[in-house]
Amino acid sequence: MWGAVDVVRHVDWDAFLAQVSGRIVLLTTKGAVRLDVAEFREDDVLLMGSEGTGVPEEVHARADVRVLIPMRPGLRSMNISVATGIVAAEALRQTDGWPS
């Protein structure tokens, strides 16, 4: 599967920002927009932080959209790979990005 995606490593946050052309959509437990009402664009960049510590405050503050996956009361969060799959699937659905 890795052959189907381009993986780009950036030397630092500024180098990453320099190549971003769309909105930065951050997946976070401190989100402001619930996934079920979030509106995605084709050029959005989905960004996830460390599963244990999230992202630094400067990254959180820079995000154009912060998305929260609604969870039942009492649950803390879900595995980052599961959360990423859920959000990526919704973004692809909204932008007609699924392969035909």
Side-chain angles (χ1 to χ4, degrees):
M1 186 65 180
W2 281 109
V5 297
D6 294 324
V7 176
V8 178
R9 295 188 80 113
H10 303 281
V11 295
D12 58 25
W13 176 242
D14 290 331
F16 168 73
L17 289 176
Q19 67 84 43
V20 171
S21 58
R23 301 182 309 169
I24 296 175
V25 178
L26 177 65
L27 283 62
T28 175
T29 58
K30 301 174 190 168
V33 179
R34 289 171 48 111
L35 176 61
D36 54 326
V37 296
E39 295 181 9
F40 293 92
R41 301 177 186 166
E42 286 184 25
D43 63 345
D44 283 346
V45 174
L46 301 181
L47 181 64
M48 294 63 92
S50 163
E51 192 164 348
T53 59
V55 298
E57 187 53 41
E58 71 180 271
V59 174
H60 202 273
R62 170 54 184 86
D64 298 295
V65 180
R66 292 177 303 283
V67 173
L68 168 72
I69 297 173
M71 307 249 327
R72 291 172 56 188
L75 299 178
R76 188 176 69 82
S77 65
M78 61 180 61
N79 176 280
I80 190 69
S81 61
V82 173
T84 300
I86 291 169
V87 174
E90 177 60 14
L92 288 169
R93 185 192 69 77
Q94 287 186 25
T95 61
D96 294 324
W98 286 106
S100 38

